[in-house]
Amino acid sequence: MGRSSITRRELLRRTGRTAAGAAMGLAAGRAAGWSGVERALAAAAAAPKAGGTLTISQSVDINTLHPWTGTLNVWKVIKTNVYDQLSYQDPATLEFKPRLAKSFEWTDGNTSLIVTLPSGVRFHNGEALTAEDVKFTLDSIRDPKTGSWLRGFIAPITDVQVLDATHVKIKTDTVENQLIPAFAYVDIVPRSQGTDLSRKTPIGSGPYRFVEWVPNDRVTLQRNPRYWNEAGAGHVDRIVLKPVTELQTRISQLLAGDVDLVYDFSLIEVPRLRADRRVSVAVVPPVDQMFVMYLNGRKPPFNKLEVRQAVAFALDRDAFIKNFLAGQGRVDNSPFTPSHWAFDPRTEHAYTYNPDQAARLLEKAGYPKGQGLNFSLLTPSGYPEFTQLSTMLQATFASIGYRPAIEEVDIGQWAARLNQTKDFFAAVDYPPRGSADPALTYSAGLFFPPVPANYNGLTPEAIPGYVSALHRGATALQRPVRKVAYYSVQELWRQYLPGAIFCHRSTAHAAVPAVKGFVPHPAFQQRFTDIWLAR
């Protein structure tokens, strides 16, 4: 097995966020008001106290127990603590680092990635975790029959080979910059469980084991006393996550001390809670989550470029950020912010709010004053910012002559209509990974990649040059080459606009003073292992 001169360290240096780049991103975040995070890091470094129950309020309930098919952020948060992933994204530096893997190394002329695992790792059911389980997990996700949204994350893999109990060889055609970051989203399961995991109690090897899910009431996790990585083990004994759709109820419960942490609440509540001494607020700057609108180009009217562009001109982004995000956001037309090395400054001022231009585009598309236009805006209940953004778009289109309906449905129906039936016209979301390596940003999720599952209905033929530019950026090692490729990708997106990018949002979380060591994750890959309770 011939070794390449390109080691994992070199690969990360060339393709990912370098330590200096990550530090610059962190510094930019602090300048943008990353309040609470420095205090949390300091608290995490203090001597923690073991024991107790951490009660967390989340906005909605989960809708599946399947680790590879559930797309809701609330489920991602839960399963990140139940399962182990080969890599993880550091919430402070935004670098991707090994977690379950001990190391990654490209070999065989950069067509094989060797993953080294630790020995002695056991799943919660007592079974040993070996390279066979990693192969089973990756092969199952790659199988179209599984129906995993993660399939695109690891699409460059051509084969997975077990070398021995602690070594896996992952075959590719060339170096693929997305894989190590993508592994942060892949939950390793025991091969004995099979792939029909939605009807089974989740069994992972993570710091917390799954106890129960009582629909619309709670999910309970218990500390894993035999976690293989002592340095990454949790401090609290139990974590109870409670779905509470009504935001004011969530906040009232926190202020009354009935819950310890309100995870991801509306930014408009930040000023009020910052002024309340009963809680501590942590605000993550706008570096990862982006407000976007999926535009279903499979059918009219969004099969026409002018209508898609009209949507982009129809939102007063500055007003949305000021009035509904409490100023905690940034106007953008790119998935990246200026702290990211791939950010294209030429996208900065595209699609500035202009109702008159939106009206002209609709007329050009054959809908003068909205005549003949027919679409609705799909929003999930429990996400007020989605409804607020949709309402602002509705008002602008009404001023032009057409008032689209707003369909507010429960989160499960919203997800099913986007993921399965494709029965929608337009829908707001805030997908993550704007802070990741661009190879992952553009290949993962359901917004950018030109695959059949893409919400926008984007096909490889829809944007000339788009796929080839994505490939150059994903497989080149030299940063300047990658930067040129991703600048081209952003320009093509701005020109053809399969979906609208409006702005980046901060995320806000609030906790009672007894909660120590909570460091929020910008992309919702949240582990609670550093939290301890001072009571």
Side-chain angles (χ1 to χ4, degrees):
M1 182 172 64
R3 286 194 172 185
S4 161
S5 60
I6 299 174
T7 63
R8 172 183 171 275
R9 181 186 298 273
E10 178 68 8
L11 178 72
L12 291 177
R13 185 185 70 80
R14 293 187 184 183
T15 65
R17 290 181 74 96
T18 63
M24 177 171 25
L26 180 59
R30 285 172 176 158
W34 199 330
S35 63
V37 175
E38 289 87 349
R39 294 194 302 274
L41 288 168
K49 177 183 176 182
T53 297
L54 175 70
T55 304
I56 301 171
S57 173
Q58 298 191 131
S59 58
V60 295
D61 197 13
I62 61 176
N63 59 1
T64 184
L65 292 177
H66 203 306
W68 307 327
T69 62
T71 59
L72 300 182
N73 282 334
V74 290
W75 177 226
K76 293 174 189 175
V77 168
I78 293 167
K79 69 190 185 77
T80 298
N81 292 272
V82 174
Y83 298 95
D84 276 316
Q85 303 78 33
L86 294 174
S87 65
Y88 76 102
Q89 186 181 26
D90 188 299
T93 68
L94 306 181
E95 290 182 278
F96 287 90
K97 302 176 180 179
R99 171 166 276 161
L100 177 61
K102 292 176 66 176
S103 64
F104 301 101
E105 186 173 10
W106 286 98
T107 65
D108 299 343
N110 298 323
T111 62
S112 299
L113 181 64
I114 301 296
V115 182
T116 301
L117 304 170
S119 58
V121 179
R122 292 198 172 272
F123 289 106
H124 299 151
N125 62 359
E127 296 178 11
L129 186 156
T130 72
E132 292 284 358
D133 300 295
V134 174
K135 173 178 169 58
F136 168 77
T137 295
L138 295 175
D139 285 346
S140 298
I141 292 173
R142 293 169 60 223
D143 185 349
K145 294 178 182 177
T146 303
S148 175
W149 60 283
L150 295 164
R151 186 180 171 210
F153 283 46
I154 58 175
I157 296 176
T158 59
D159 191 25
V160 182
Q161 302 170 1
V162 173
L163 302 182
D164 56 42
T166 58
H167 292 87
V168 180
K169 177 185 280 191
I170 297 173
K171 296 294 295 180
T172 61
D173 291 330
T174 185
V175 167
E176 294 286 352
N177 295 310
Q178 78 184 63
L179 284 184
I180 292 173
F183 290 151
Y185 295 83
V186 174
D187 305 301
I188 306 301
V189 308
R191 63 190 185 283
S192 65
Q193 295 294 295
T195 59
D196 187 16
L197 299 169
S198 60
R199 295 180 176 87
K200 297 181 179 180
T201 297
I203 294 176
S205 61
Y208 285 89
R209 64 180 183 85
F210 191 93
V211 176
E212 64 175 350
W213 171 30
V214 180
N216 299 313
D217 184 65
R218 67 185 180 275
V219 171
T220 304
L221 309 180
Q222 184 78 32
R223 184 178 181 273
N224 178 8
R226 292 179 291 277
Y227 187 52
W228 62 275
N229 180 9
E230 185 176 351
H235 301 302
V236 299
D237 289 335
R238 292 170 71 85
I239 301 176
V240 179
L241 302 106
K242 302 177 73 68
V244 180
T245 302
E246 172 54 46
L247 175 60
Q248 295 308 318
T249 301
R250 299 175 70 203
I251 292 175
S252 295
Q253 289 175 338
L254 180 70
L255 296 176
D258 296 329
V259 299
D260 300 309
L261 173 64
V262 172
Y263 192 83
D264 187 30
F265 62 87
S266 177
L267 290 163
I268 200 169
E269 299 292 339
V270 167
R272 174 164 74 97
L273 289 179
R274 274 180 168 165
D276 196 311
R277 295 184 177 181
R278 291 174 289 177
V279 295
S280 176
V281 178
V283 177
V284 179
V287 295
D288 193 89
Q289 307 277 323
M290 62 196 97
F291 269 105
V292 306
M293 177 153 278
Y294 305 126
L295 302 174
N296 194 345
R298 299 173 182 85
K299 57 185 180 180
F302 295 116
N303 59 338
K304 293 188 176 183
L305 171 62
E306 293 85 1
V307 181
R308 300 196 300 269
Q309 291 176 327
V311 171
F313 280 115
L315 180 68
D316 188 341
R317 307 170 193 213
D318 288 314
F320 174 69
I321 292 171
K322 177 182 178 181
N323 295 321
F324 298 113
L325 303 185
Q328 303 288 333
R330 186 184 189 282
V331 172
D332 277 304
N333 292 281
S334 165
F336 315 111
T337 61
S339 61
H340 198 295
W341 62 264
F343 172 75
D344 180 2
R346 295 174 297 179
T347 67
E348 187 85 45
H349 301 295
Y351 298 112
T352 302
Y353 178 56
N354 191 331
D356 292 336
Q357 178 65 5
R360 286 190 289 269
L361 286 164
L362 290 181
E363 184 169 1
K364 183 178 179 181
Y367 304 107
K369 297 183 178 179
Q371 296 176 15
L373 199 58
N374 181 31
F375 72 90
S376 58
L377 303 167
L378 185 67
T379 66
S381 57
Y383 291 81
E385 291 156 348
F386 287 24
T387 302
Q388 291 155 354
L389 192 155
S390 299
T391 301
M392 291 181 69
L393 284 172
Q394 182 190 57
T396 298
F397 274 94
S399 71
I400 295 171
Y402 174 72
R403 184 180 178 85
I406 296 177
E407 295 183 81
E408 188 167 357
V409 299
D410 68 77
I411 189 69
Q413 183 182 346
W414 179 84
R417 288 175 64 176
L418 267 63
N419 286 301
Q420 298 162 19
T421 66
K422 311 299 182 186
D423 178 23
F424 75 99
F425 289 98
V428 180
D429 197 4
Y430 47 54
R433 289 176 290 279
S435 64
D437 187 281
L440 181 63
T441 306
Y442 280 114
S443 65
L446 296 163
F447 190 59
F448 297 111
V451 294
N454 181 276
Y455 290 159
N456 301 311
L458 177 61
T459 64
E461 300 77 25
I463 307 180
Y466 183 68
V467 173
S468 59
L470 287 174
H471 181 72
R472 287 195 304 274
T475 59
L477 284 171
Q478 297 78 20
R479 175 68 63 79
V481 175
R482 301 192 68 205
K483 195 169 186 176
V484 169
Y486 287 122
Y487 273 28
S488 176
V489 166
Q490 290 166 79
E491 284 296 302
L492 287 168
W493 187 275
R494 181 191 59 78
Q495 180 181 352
Y496 289 90
L497 205 70
I501 303 172
F502 292 127
C503 61
H504 281 78
R505 70 185 283 260
S506 298
T507 55
H509 318 276
V512 297
V515 173
K516 307 296 183 183
F518 170 57
V519 181
H521 197 288
F524 289 91
Q525 299 301 104
Q526 184 69 56
R527 281 219 176 182
F528 296 113
T529 50
D530 288 333
I531 289 182
W532 56 280
L533 301 173
R535 61 184 179 209

